[in-house]
Amino acid sequence: MADVNVLEESGEAEVCAEEERERSPERQSVLQTAAQMNLPLWMFLKMVARPNSEPLAEDSIHGMDEENNSDTDSGNRDPVCYADIDMFCENEEGKTDQKKQKKKKKKKKKAYTEKFRVPMPSEVADNPVLRKYWAQRYRLFSRFDEGIQLDTESWFSVTPERIAEHIADRCRCDIIVDAFCGAGGNSIQFAFTCERVIAIDIDPEKLRLAKINATIYGVADRIEFVLGDYLKLASHLKADVVFLSPPWGGPDYQHSDIYDLNAMPGFEADQLFALTRKITPHIAYFVPRNANIEQLTALAGEGGRVEIEQNFLNTKLKTITAYYGELVQDGEEC
Ligand code: MGP
Ligand code: SAH
């Protein structure tokens, strides 16, 4: 009890009690034992609070946890003394403090995340088709919350970041043309692996979005944004590699068993390739996962090479990329 009071009192009374304690034989023996055992402070104080107790065995020290709170239940042990509780409480509080701190940190982190989490835009909220893509937004752009902007078509057309990153790695070169750049999913990644990216889109809104998104990734200055019709611009372009990711006619492409690459008016694969080959034979063609493989193979031409790559995300087949010319990796000839 005295110890408890000492802990709570201050001034003269505290000094007196302290002196008294200092003189007590128990204190002396405890101090000696503490020194011999090289005990930590909390242990030392616990022993002071147990005037006639033996030093706790090593096991008891390690066993000091919530279960030991029930000191009184433990048969041979001394009845609980207040100082014990104080020490224990201090210890418990320590633990509680840690928990509180952790909770606080978690709360802070959550608040931070909430603060910077982008709310679902109304055009997504109002469109059940787009909501699926919203759920995948961090797969599309890992830095989505930093201000990535997409319009309706881009939501379902943009290449998921991991896939775009992989394609960009395979297309390393000096100058690459991203013939249908959209909101920039591929162009951004090309900017990390190529010296120069020429990003073309027929829709000015797409270019606006692509610029914003490229700025977020810090690569806008490595991309030349060109507004225009690739089919018309192609004959004026020079590049080492061309990446083709034309519109597939929206998410409905999934409804056919085999997607006919020559069925898209304006973007028939044969025509697209005839034009692009005038720029370079090194072409990466991004097509639906149900694309006609025979058509992809035929595009390589007589004696030409093609590599057909399935792009998976979390074990789900998402898309196919067909590589032509020197983009085909050695030993993977078809
Ligand atoms: P998806 O099939 O619409 O999505 O597109 P998902 O999540 O596989 O659909 P689910 O219903 O099977 O769950 C898959 C990916 O294809 C998209 O993330 C885009 O990268 C790409 N993609 C889809 N469309 C409709 C187009 C398109 O018209 N053009 C281009 N270039 N890419 C597209
Ligand atoms: N790979 C892009 C998505 C491309 S979607 C990304 O990851 O973000 C296809 C894009 O082709 C659309 O943005 C559409 O505006 C554009 N497009 C359609 N016709 C075009 C044409 N004739 N020339 C250039 N771009 C065109």
Side-chain angles (χ1 to χ4, degrees):
M1 282 292 273
D3 280 334
V4 177
N5 289 335
V6 169
L7 288 172
E8 286 175 354
E9 280 171 11
S10 59
E12 212 173 312
E14 189 176 335
V15 174
C16 289
E18 190 60 32
E19 278 172 1
E20 207 175 304
R21 274 205 320 171
E22 284 297 328
R23 281 196 302 270
S24 77
E26 292 88 1
R27 166 77 169 186
Q28 294 307 319
S29 98
V30 160
L31 275 175
Q32 229 173 8
T33 321
Q36 276 166 7
M37 291 182 68
N38 198 18
L39 288 172
L41 183 64
W42 68 265
M43 184 62 193
F44 161 75
L45 287 170
K46 189 171 173 71
M47 291 172 70
V48 170
R50 293 170 175 266
N52 298 315
S53 68
E54 290 295 312
L56 290 177
E58 190 83 343
D59 280 354
S60 328
I61 297 170
H62 295 307
M64 175 131 175
D65 52 24
E66 285 93 326
E67 277 164 15
N68 287 341
N69 199 8
S70 56
D71 267 8
T72 41
D73 303 337
S74 55
N76 298 335
R77 298 177 96 177
D78 296 334
V80 69
C81 92
Y82 286 104
D84 245 346
I85 291 174
D86 253 344
M87 286 311 300
F88 197 78
C89 285
E90 229 179 77
N91 207 306
E92 269 294 278
E93 271 169 20
K95 280 185 186 171
T96 319
D97 274 0
Q98 266 186 6
K99 274 186 192 168
K100 271 187 193 165
Q101 290 268 0
K102 268 189 186 173
K103 263 192 180 171
K104 246 187 184 175
K105 265 190 187 171
K106 246 187 174 176
K107 237 181 163 180
K108 229 179 167 181
K109 200 176 161 188
K110 203 176 160 198
Y112 179 88
T113 318
E114 291 296 330
K115 191 174 169 190
F116 292 101
R117 183 165 285 169
V118 177
M120 188 190 285
S122 58
E123 84 261 17
V124 175
D126 299 342
N127 186 336
V129 177
L130 292 193
R131 257 182 269 146
K132 179 182 87 178
Y133 298 98
W134 170 262
Q136 302 177 19
R137 62 197 182 282
Y138 299 113
R139 282 195 210 149
L140 303 182
F141 290 98
S142 60
R143 297 174 73 167
F144 186 89
D145 285 345
E146 291 175 46
I148 292 294
Q149 290 191 28
L150 299 170
D151 64 1
T152 302
E153 185 182 8
S154 309
W155 270 110
F156 57 73
S157 306
V158 69
T159 307
E161 187 169 295
R162 292 280 294 280
I163 296 177
E165 193 182 8
H166 169 80
I167 295 170
D169 192 48
R170 292 203 52 173
C171 290
R172 281 174 189 278
C173 65
D174 279 346
I175 304 174
I176 188 163
V177 167
D178 185 0
F180 305 89
C181 81
N186 292 102
S187 287
I188 289 169
Q189 297 305 322
F190 288 139
F192 287 113
T193 61
C194 302
E195 283 304 311
R196 193 95 202 132
V197 183
I198 299 168
I200 301 170
D201 206 284
I202 202 166
D203 178 357
E205 176 62 3
K206 298 294 191 304
L207 290 184
R208 190 185 72 82
L209 301 173
K211 273 182 209 168
I212 291 170
N213 298 338
T215 304
I216 289 167
Y217 280 78
V219 292
D221 59 338
R222 302 174 68 87
I223 304 173
E224 199 176 315
F225 297 94
V226 179
L227 176 63
D229 180 346
Y230 172 69
L231 306 175
K232 290 184 182 148
L233 291 173
S235 56
H236 306 286
L237 298 171
K238 281 191 186 346
D240 302 303
V241 171
V242 173
F243 176 69
L244 300 170
S245 65
W248 308 340
D252 284 352
Y253 76 86
Q254 303 179 39
H255 298 149
S256 45
D257 285 343
I258 296 178
Y259 184 89
D260 182 353
L261 292 167
N262 279 320
M264 284 290 300
F267 304 104
E268 299 90 346
D270 289 336
Q271 186 202 353
L272 215 45
F273 264 64
L275 264 176
T276 306
R277 281 242 163 71
K278 289 182 183 151
I279 306 171
T280 177
H282 315 308
I283 302 168
Y285 189 24
F286 190 70
V287 294
R289 54 182 172 244
N290 54 348
N292 186 324
I293 303 297
E294 278 174 23
Q295 286 177 339
L296 285 176
T297 310
L299 286 170
E302 204 50 46
R305 304 198 305 166
V306 60
E307 181 185 338
I308 294 166
E309 177 186 78
Q310 293 181 311
N311 308 125
F312 285 85
L313 262 193
N314 291 343
T315 73
K316 184 179 190 285
L317 176 59
K318 281 271 168 186
T319 55
I320 285 176
T321 310
Y323 299 93
Y324 298 85
E326 283 177 16
L327 295 180
V328 176
Q329 282 175 348
D330 283 340
E332 309 241 349
E333 246 170 89
C334 288

